[in-house]
Amino acid sequence: MNQEKIFTEIFLPLYGHMFRAATAILGRNSSEAADAVQDAMVKIWNFRAALSRVENPEGYAISAVRSSAIDILRKRHSSENIEDILNLSDGHPPDHDSGDFIERIIASLPVAQQEVIRLSAFENLSNEEIAAITGYTEVNVRQLLSRGRKKIKELYSKFL
């Protein structure tokens, strides 16, 4: 099978799965998720000469989109502080009952914690499934979930 055919018949149909993974990592920002998928597809296309040697195309595609999504998170995270993320700089107390507030708290977590929290909470994935998607061990997933949940509780309580 030629390179273009491998890309169009094997990798392009994975777009939906890649988009869901990017959304789980980046939160509900669909434009950033689409950017992450597009970036991952470009990386895959640039690697097209070796696509015939990829044994697990779905795993490779998810790994590529995960990498792109984490790059986006790092760029976003490096330019924000907790008050900006939680929109507290205007002096108004946040609406604690809004999903947006919780989403902003999650966005303030380290990238790895954000990723596993979103996969667990929004995608309802088991620790085993999260480990398979992220490449972390199940023990590491449990640890990241525990630390992330603790930090969410701490930040939520701080702004009550």
Side-chain angles (χ1 to χ4, degrees):
M1 195 180 298
N2 72 27
Q3 300 161 351
E4 188 174 323
K5 194 170 187 169
I6 291 171
F7 182 78
T8 58
E9 291 182 8
I10 296 174
F11 287 94
L12 280 181
L14 295 173
Y15 182 91
H17 190 66
M18 293 170 71
F19 184 80
R20 285 188 298 280
T23 302
I25 295 167
L26 294 167
R28 297 183 181 156
N29 188 333
S30 61
S31 65
E32 282 185 339
D35 289 346
V37 174
Q38 182 67 30
D39 184 51
M41 286 294 193
V42 168
K43 288 177 185 175
I44 292 169
W45 176 252
N46 290 338
F47 188 68
R48 67 186 172 274
L51 289 181
S52 61
R53 294 190 304 263
V54 174
E55 292 181 24
N56 180 356
E58 185 175 356
Y60 183 78
I62 295 300
S63 179
V65 79
R66 178 180 176 268
S67 175
S68 296
I70 289 173
D71 287 345
I72 290 170
L73 275 178
R74 284 187 178 128
K75 287 176 191 168
R76 182 195 315 163
H77 219 269
S78 67
S79 64
E80 298 175 334
N81 65 39
I82 189 69
E83 273 78 29
D84 292 337
I85 290 169
L86 299 176
N87 277 345
L88 300 176
S89 55
D90 62 5
H92 292 66
D95 179 6
H96 299 92
D97 294 331
S98 76
D100 185 50
F101 179 67
I102 297 297
E103 181 61 41
R104 287 190 230 153
I105 289 176
I106 293 170
S108 73
L109 299 173
V111 173
Q113 289 177 10
Q114 287 183 46
E115 183 179 17
V116 297
I117 290 285
R118 287 190 173 112
L119 289 170
S120 176
F122 301 139
E123 299 295 322
N124 291 325
L125 297 178
S126 68
N127 290 358
E128 182 179 333
E129 292 168 320
I130 294 169
I133 289 171
T134 61
Y136 301 134
T137 65
E138 284 186 58
V139 171
N140 200 342
V141 168
R142 280 193 303 275
Q143 184 180 49
L144 289 167
L145 282 170
S146 176
R147 288 179 180 171
R149 289 174 181 145
K150 182 178 177 182
K151 188 66 174 177
I152 289 169
K153 183 178 177 181
E154 175 187 316
L155 290 172
Y156 186 82
S157 296
K158 177 180 179 182
F159 295 106
L160 272 180

